[in-house]
């Protein structure tokens, strides 16, 4: 096999509960991931060394040196296999960069699956998940997709059943937000308020809404503990969220660490109309309709 193409989805966090700051600098999380139909494609081709090139909407914002997470994933896979392998990775970018939708993690997951096929390793998903967990908290979910709750740093996953398809609109912002800066701002705001930070727990009502496919109930229970920090760093996101609510969104939330804003719609038609309204009124530079849950990294 001389070339393998893998399609890998973006995610939205329908619940992101952030516990107290730990001594190691991380936080314990309850993180409900939901994979949506905005996809990157990762192509792996035979080559001597491991390199990456990127094309698409945000290609100029993606590093192509050793800091690229897809390169790190391919190298970690080769190390796990105990041999020296090569691959030219080509990423077709559609997921926003630093947008709170796990675009870099998606590309890492895509690289793991593509190189596993290209090199004929035949490693099982459990092995890929172990490697993914070492690469980053969101990478394991990008492998499996669907809907899942992540605990620990978010990498310990349990799949969640969903009772139907949910329809979303994502308002894509100009410029990204550093996840580390958003967490640091969250910690600063908490310290400033001097309030006790509770241990994160899974929202049972949200779980029920996912299980029954009830979009109205899900919209009422969307939550993100990082949202105040993201809004503090990017105040313009507040009017975007308000506009989505005014145009009938069942729920409006900053996705992950932001700055992408996610809006839950009633159905596909409502999602399309909501996306058009957000762009027509100038509330969003770009708004994209999508649905979920969808599969994780998949060879196509």
């Amino acid at each position: 096999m001389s070339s393998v193409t893998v399609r890998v989805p973006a995610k939205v966090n329908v619940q992101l509960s952030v516990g107290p700051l730990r001594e190691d600098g991380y936080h314990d999380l309850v993180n409900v991931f939901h994979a949506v139909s905005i996809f990157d494609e990762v192509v792996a081709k035979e080559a001597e060394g491991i390199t990456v090139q990127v094309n698409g909407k945000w290609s100029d914002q993606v590093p192509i040196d050793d800091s690229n997470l897809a390169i790190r994933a391919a190298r970690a896979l080769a190390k796990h296999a105990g041999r020296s392998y090569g691959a030219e990775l080509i990423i077709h970018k559609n997921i926003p960069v630093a947008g709170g939708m796990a675009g870099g993690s998606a590309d890492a997951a895509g690289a793991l699956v593509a190189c596993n096929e290209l090199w004929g390793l035949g490693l099982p998903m459990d092995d890929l998940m172990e490697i993914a967990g070492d690469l980053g908290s969101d990478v394991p979910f990008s492998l499996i997709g669907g809907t899942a709750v992540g605990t620990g740093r978010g990498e310990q996953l349990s799949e969640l059943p969903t009772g139907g398809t949910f329809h979303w609109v994502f308002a894509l912002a100009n410029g990204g937000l550093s996840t580390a800066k958003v967490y640091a701002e969250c910690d600063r705001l908490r310290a400033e308020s001097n309030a006790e930070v509770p241990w994160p727990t899974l929202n049972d009502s949200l779980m029920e809404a996912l299980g029954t496919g009830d979009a109205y109930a899900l919209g009422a229970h969307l939550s993100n503990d990082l949202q105040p920090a993201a809004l503090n760093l990017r105040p313009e996101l507040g009017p975007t969220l308000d506009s989505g609510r005014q145009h009938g969104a069942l729920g409006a939330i900053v996705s992950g660490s932001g700055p992408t804003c996610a809006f839950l719609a009633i159905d596909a038609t409502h999602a399309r109309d909501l996306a058009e309204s957000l762009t027509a009124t100038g509330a969003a530079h770009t708004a994209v309709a999508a649905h979920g849950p969808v599969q994780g990294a998949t060879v196509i």
Side-chain angles (χ1 to χ4, degrees):
M1 192 175 294
S2 61
S3 177
V4 177
T5 301
V6 171
R7 187 177 73 172
V8 62
K11 62 82 180 166
V12 60
N13 304 94
V14 295
Q15 177 186 347
L16 179 49
S17 296
V18 180
L21 183 65
R22 304 189 319 201
E23 290 184 1
D24 63 2
Y26 290 101
H27 303 75
D28 283 293
L29 306 176
V30 169
N31 194 353
V32 182
F33 298 99
H34 182 71
V36 296
S37 60
I38 300 173
F39 299 100
D40 281 358
E41 288 186 1
V42 180
V43 181
K45 296 183 175 181
E46 288 183 346
E48 290 296 319
I50 296 175
T51 61
V52 67
Q53 58 178 285
V54 185
N55 57 51
K57 297 177 184 177
W58 292 277
S59 57
D60 60 333
Q61 300 175 40
V62 180
I64 56 173
D65 59 14
D66 288 353
S67 66
N68 185 284
L69 202 54
I71 284 183
R72 289 170 54 198
R75 289 183 174 161
L77 181 66
K79 182 178 180 181
H80 181 88
R83 289 184 55 186
S84 177
Y85 291 97
E88 178 188 8
L89 302 173
I90 304 167
I91 299 172
H92 302 287
K93 202 84 188 119
N94 282 302
I95 304 172
V97 175
M101 300 188 77
S105 296
D107 296 339
L112 286 175
V113 172
C115 289
N116 189 39
E117 290 289 323
L118 180 72
W119 299 335
L121 300 179
L123 294 177
M125 180 60 75
D126 285 350
D127 285 28
L128 298 183
M129 290 286 283
E130 181 181 343
I131 298 167
D134 290 337
L135 291 165
S137 300
D138 291 347
V139 183
F141 176 73
S142 296
L143 282 173
I144 65 170
T147 305
V149 58
T151 54
R153 291 184 289 109
E155 83 287 2
Q156 300 169 22
L157 294 176
S158 300
E159 295 185 59
L160 296 177
T162 53
T165 298
F166 296 97
H167 296 274
W168 299 87
V169 173
F170 296 95
L172 311 181
N174 283 326
L177 266 176
S178 160
T179 298
K181 287 183 178 179
V182 175
Y183 270 98
E185 181 68 3
C186 177
D187 292 333
R188 188 190 71 78
L189 291 173
R190 287 173 165 181
E192 194 175 73
S193 70
N194 205 30
E196 185 177 350
V197 179
W199 192 262
T201 58
L202 187 59
N203 184 326
D204 290 336
S205 297
L206 180 134
M207 286 269 288
E208 183 179 356
L210 287 168
T212 59
D214 187 338
Y216 288 86
L218 179 61
H221 292 287
L222 298 176
S223 66
N224 180 1
D225 285 353
L226 293 180
Q227 183 163 305
L231 291 175
N232 223 39
L233 294 171
R234 295 284 289 272
E236 68 272 19
L237 300 180
T240 301
L241 293 171
D242 290 341
S243 181
R245 296 185 189 102
Q246 290 163 9
H247 286 95
L250 303 180
I253 195 170
V254 172
S255 180
S257 57
T260 302
C261 293
F263 304 93
L264 186 60
I266 299 167
D267 53 27
T269 300
H270 182 217
R272 184 175 64 249
D273 292 344
L274 178 56
E276 290 175 356
S277 297
L278 287 168
T279 53
T281 60
H285 177 266
T286 304
V288 178
H291 65 272
V294 297
Q295 285 184 314
T298 304
V299 177
I300 58 175

